[in-house]
């Protein structure tokens, strides 16, 4: 069984560096300086089963990675308290079949890694397809926002996906590895509230709609207001199936929202945020207003 010590070492070093430096601001990039392990290091303990003479007698059998799917194709959204578990599925093929596959997420530059989300398991959970040369191997990753997994909000956004596979022949060079195989987004969980008042309200009178847009702050493990963001005020008339946008306003320096409209009919009011690369889209639950 392989022990991917190099991956574990990078993860541990990142945790120590996170404790050694002051917390960065929410939208600043954290300091970097660690390097990723190579594919040879990742598969070192498993490959090399063939003898040197046998390896010299043939060319390396290099697998082909057909597909890598992170979190079912969805963004990875992490809050401030709950652990987030997701999988990476690697589909690969090779003439002798696939012995194993591995993948993880990393942030920064190849020689200056400032974030790493890696599986704790030693080997991928591989299932052979109808074609015996092809397998899909799955690894699971658990992110704990209360640990050093995401030690600063500056890590939100696009991450690189490193992935590789080892051929069933298990020769020293019978593997494929790509540090930049794909991209995946790790985002800060968002919340949005709404309150329309007064309730009830007379037809034609002014209705004040307030709310607040917040998102996870991984530096402090709290929710902070998301400033200067466009948010849509939407209305759904009683009995209607969908919302329509009435206007778009921006959040304040603390993430609050406030605007006024004229009351015209019974229905639901809500705010809706389209999201950014670091923060997912979110809509408030509708607030029903009875118009007299």
């Amino acid at each position: 069984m392989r022990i991917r010590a190099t991956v574990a070492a990078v993860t541990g070093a990142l945790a120590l560096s996170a404790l050694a430096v002051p917390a960065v601001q929410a939208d600043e990039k954290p300091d970097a300086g660690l390097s990723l392990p190579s594919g040879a290091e990742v598969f070192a303990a498993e490959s090399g089963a063939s003898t040197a003479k046998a390896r010299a007698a043939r060319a390396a059998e290099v697998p082909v990675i057909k597909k890598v799917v992170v979190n079912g194709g969805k963004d990875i959204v992490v809050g401030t308290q709950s652990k987030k578990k997701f999988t990476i599925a690697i589909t690969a093929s090779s003439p002798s079949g696939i012995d194993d596959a591995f993948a993880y997420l990393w942030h920064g530059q190849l020689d200056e890694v400032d974030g790493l989300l890696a599986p704790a398991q030693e080997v991928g959970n591989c299932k052979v397809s109808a074609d015996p040369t092809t397998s899909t191997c799955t690894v699971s990753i658990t992110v704990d926002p209360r640990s050093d997994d995401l030690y600063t909000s500056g890590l939100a956004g696009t991450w690189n996906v490193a992935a590789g596979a080892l051929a069933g022949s298990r020769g020293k060079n019978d593997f494929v590895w790509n540090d930049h195989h794909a991209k995946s987004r790790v985002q800060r969980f968002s919340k949005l509230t709404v309150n329309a008042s007064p309730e009830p309200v007379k037809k034609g009178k002014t209705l004040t709609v307030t709310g607040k847009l917040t998102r996870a702050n991984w530096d402090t493990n709290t929710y902070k207001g998301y400033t200067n963001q466009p948010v849509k005020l939407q209305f759904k008339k009683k009995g209607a199936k969908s919302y329509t946008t009435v206007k778009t306003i921006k959040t304040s320096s603390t993430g609050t929202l406030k605007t006024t409209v004229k009351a015209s009919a019974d229905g639901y009011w809500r705010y809706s945020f389209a999201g950014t690369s670091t923060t997912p889209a979110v809509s408030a639950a509708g607030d029903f207003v009875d118009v007299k």
Side-chain angles (χ1 to χ4, degrees), residues 21-38:
V21 298
V24 299
Q25 295 301 311
D27 291 313
E28 290 180 358
K29 295 299 180 184
D31 292 334
L34 297 171
S35 299
L36 290 173
S38 66

Side-chain angles (χ1 to χ4, degrees), residues 86 99 134 204 206 225 273:
F86 65 94
D99 184 71
T134 303
T206 299
F273 173 59

Side-chain angles (χ1 to χ4, degrees), residues 10-231:
V10 173
T11 304
L14 282 168
L16 290 173
S17 65
L19 294 173
V21 298
V24 299
Q25 295 301 311
D27 291 313
E28 290 180 358
K29 295 299 180 184
D31 292 334
L34 297 171
S35 299
L36 290 173
S38 66
E41 291 172 314
V42 170
F43 291 113
E46 279 185 300
S47 60
S50 305
T51 65
K53 183 177 180 180
R55 292 197 301 272
R58 64 170 177 80
E61 181 183 324
V62 181
V64 174
I65 295 181
K66 296 185 173 182
K67 183 170 61 174
V68 174
V69 180
V70 180
N71 195 35
K74 300 178 181 179
D75 292 331
I76 302 159
V77 181
V78 184
T80 62
Q81 300 297 322
S82 299
K83 294 180 181 180
K84 172 67 177 180
K85 184 177 181 179
F86 65 94
T87 60
I88 305 179
I90 310 105
T91 301
S93 65
S94 198
S96 63
I98 297 298
D99 184 71
D100 188 23
F102 193 68
Y104 55 77
L105 271 60
W106 63 276
H107 189 275
Q109 302 298 321
L110 274 176
D111 58 349
E112 294 185 337
V113 179
D114 57 20
L116 184 69
L117 300 177
Q121 68 199 75
E122 295 293 333
V123 296
N125 179 17
C126 297
K127 294 183 178 180
V128 181
S129 70
D131 176 359
T133 67
T134 303
S135 293
T136 296
C137 303
T138 303
V139 295
S140 298
I141 299 174
T142 300
V143 184
D144 186 351
R146 296 166 299 178
S147 71
D148 294 314
D149 292 340
L150 296 171
Y151 58 91
T152 176
S153 295
L155 292 173
T158 301
W159 287 55
N160 297 287
V161 182
L166 178 66
S169 52
R170 295 168 62 92
K172 180 180 179 180
N173 298 312
D174 295 352
F175 68 88
V176 63
W177 184 262
N178 189 343
D179 290 312
H180 294 91
H181 187 84
K183 302 285 187 181
S184 185
R185 294 200 304 192
V186 180
Q187 297 183 311
R188 300 160 62 178
F189 191 92
S190 55
K191 297 180 180 181
L192 186 55
T193 62
V194 67
N195 182 57
S197 63
E199 300 177 54
V201 63
K202 291 184 178 181
K203 186 174 182 178
K205 294 296 183 178
T206 299
L207 192 65
T208 301
V209 187
T210 59
K212 188 171 186 178
L213 175 63
T214 59
R215 59 177 179 165
N217 184 311
W218 296 330
D219 298 81
T220 60
N221 291 113
T222 58
Y223 283 86
K224 301 292 186 181
Y226 198 4
T227 67
N228 199 36
Q229 295 300 310
V231 177

